Amino acid sequence: MQMDAFLEERARRMARDLAPVLGESYPSLLEQWGGPGFEAFIVAQVRHAATLGFDREGDAAKYVNVACALGSGFERLARYPWAPKILASSSLTASGKAERLTYWARRELAASAQAEPS
């Protein structure tokens, strides 16, 4: 119970810290959710990151950034088959998984940007 309260406070603090930065990077999400809604979205992503084994704040922040870029629950979407493979890898640490997710998300976003008509 006390650990749950600690994790919840950490998620809320991380959301407060991350919201301004992520709001600048993802203005459409900030507009869609509004300030308090955007923070609540980030809290939910931090909580979910913890269930995936991202216990360190830096790793959780990377997961949240990818979730903002690709969408909540991106690891369950068929269009990102690399995500569940990375998360299931027993040869990667949580930090390694966060780095790989970030790498592949950047590749996806770059490919999407190239595919869009000018």
Side-chain angles (χ1 to χ4, degrees), residues 15-42 64 67-69:
R16 283 190 304 272
D17 292 346
L18 289 172
V21 175
L22 293 174
E24 284 186 27
S25 297
Y26 305 102
S28 62
L29 284 180
L30 179 56
E31 185 178 318
Q32 173 187 344
W33 290 96
F38 188 53
E39 277 194 31
F41 171 79
I42 295 170
V64 173
C68 285

Side-chain angles (χ1 to χ4, degrees), residues 9-114:
E9 178 52 36
R10 184 184 96 158
R12 291 186 186 289
R13 182 180 39 76
M14 282 186 67
R16 283 190 304 272
D17 292 346
L18 289 172
V21 175
L22 293 174
E24 284 186 27
S25 297
Y26 305 102
S28 62
L29 284 180
L30 179 56
E31 185 178 318
Q32 173 187 344
W33 290 96
F38 188 53
E39 277 194 31
F41 171 79
I42 295 170
V43 167
Q45 298 313 305
V46 171
R47 285 185 199 132
H48 185 63
T51 70
L52 297 172
F54 296 115
D55 296 327
R56 293 181 54 219
E57 287 188 18
D59 298 335
K62 287 177 184 172
Y63 175 85
V64 173
N65 191 26
V66 173
C68 285
L70 302 182
S72 178
F74 68 89
E75 70 274 8
R76 296 183 298 269
L77 300 176
R79 67 188 282 192
Y80 307 123
W82 44 266
K85 291 176 186 173
I86 291 169
L87 292 170
S89 175
S90 59
S91 65
L92 292 172
T93 63
S95 292
K97 291 176 184 182
E99 289 293 328
R100 290 264 175 95
L101 290 173
T102 300
Y103 170 80
W104 281 99
R106 285 184 179 145
R107 286 190 59 164
E108 289 288 338
L109 295 171
S112 296
Q114 285 183 341

